[in-house]
Amino acid sequence: MRIALSTASVYPESTATAFEIAARLGYDGVEVMVWTDPVSQDIEALRRLSDYHGIPILAVHAPCLLITQRVWSTDPWVKLQRARAAAEKLDASTVVVHPPFRWQRQYAREFVDGIWRMANETDVRFAVENMYPWRYRDREMLAYAPDWDVTNDDYRHFTIDLSHTATARTDALGMVERMGDRLGHVHLADGRGSAKDEHLVPGRGTQPCAELLERLVHTGFDGHVVIEVNTRRAMSGAEREADLAEALEYTRKHLAAAAVRVARR
């Protein structure tokens, strides 16, 4: 089980900075968040960064955010096709994808069948990520379709994100149980149940991060664990790296402890 750093974890620093930090801290790889940074969209530039730093690209996160509506086309299926092509060329095993926004009506209607069709055309995993309702004060808006809870639909692979389970105020381990052996990818972060998607360093919130890591070991999980945390409030590069080092240490410690318990059985 390899531990990767999401390039989103260094924002507002660049994709190139994420590779540098991942190499310096000893991460096993990176997940590339494709967004407005031109380097994140450029396969050859990503390959050069990977080779230079000796850091493999383990996953590609398709451009599914509001700020990436025009990245790699405005057609969401073209975005996924380009994400798959990038993953194949970069030897990444996984494409992470969000369910459609509710206002993407045609895309949402075709999404489940379309993801199956694309998954059948490649060895790359399309791992659909759990999201959350949008909240403002006491109002809730269902922004994703077919559903923010992706276990309500039929996908070959899932991504579990523990910051998103916190924001959704749902039972993370219950969701993992429903995903079963279709859990293919993990975004490890923490949260306290705020309406904002917090992406805290694991161990700083209320989510069962340690319990999830132990479960991954006990079930023989064969995907990647990706640290996807928010360091935007870091006052310096040193503070950002300290957060990312803490997240890596936390993950390795709990995976190792679980492995020891399994070995003793």
Side-chain angles (χ1 to χ4, degrees), residues 7 32-36 40-41 60-65 68 71-72:
T7 60
V32 174
M33 171 71 80
V34 179
W35 55 4
T36 54
S40 74
Q41 306 169 30
V60 174
H61 195 311
C64 305
L65 304 174
T68 59
V71 172
W72 280 357

Side-chain angles (χ1 to χ4, degrees), residues 45-60:
L46 292 169
R47 195 195 311 276
R48 288 193 296 270
L49 283 169
S50 177
D51 291 345
Y52 179 78
H53 291 288
I55 289 288
I57 297 169
L58 303 181
V60 174

Side-chain angles (χ1 to χ4, degrees), residues 99-176:
F101 292 113
R102 188 163 291 276
W103 54 84
Q104 295 175 298
R105 292 187 178 88
Q106 186 64 33
Y107 179 43
R109 280 194 293 270
E110 300 171 351
F111 185 68
V112 176
D113 289 341
I115 289 294
W116 270 103
R117 183 180 64 252
M118 295 189 73
N120 286 332
E121 296 170 351
T122 180
D123 291 331
V124 173
R125 293 177 172 181
F126 279 88
V128 185
E129 184 173 4
N130 63 298
M131 298 304 291
Y132 47 84
W134 289 3
R135 292 189 180 91
Y136 178 71
R137 295 181 179 172
D138 60 346
R139 301 183 66 182
E140 184 176 288
M141 182 177 80
L142 300 179
Y144 298 97
D147 205 314
W148 62 264
D149 182 348
V150 292
T151 64
N152 288 329
D153 292 289
D154 181 29
Y155 302 108
R156 178 172 292 171
H157 290 109
F158 295 107
T159 297
I160 186 74
D161 184 305
L162 291 196
S163 178
H164 295 175
T165 58
T167 305
R169 301 170 189 168
T170 193
D171 176 3
L173 295 180
M175 180 173 282
V176 170

Side-chain angles (χ1 to χ4, degrees), residues 10 12 16 22 26 39 45 58 66 80 95 99-100 102 113 126 143-144 171 185-186 225 239-240 253-254:
V10 307
V39 171
L58 303 181
L66 286 172
L80 295 190
V95 168
R102 188 163 291 276
D113 289 341
F126 279 88
Y144 298 97
D171 176 3
H185 199 67
V186 173
V225 177
E239 184 177 333
R240 173 174 289 109
K253 179 181 74 173
H254 287 286

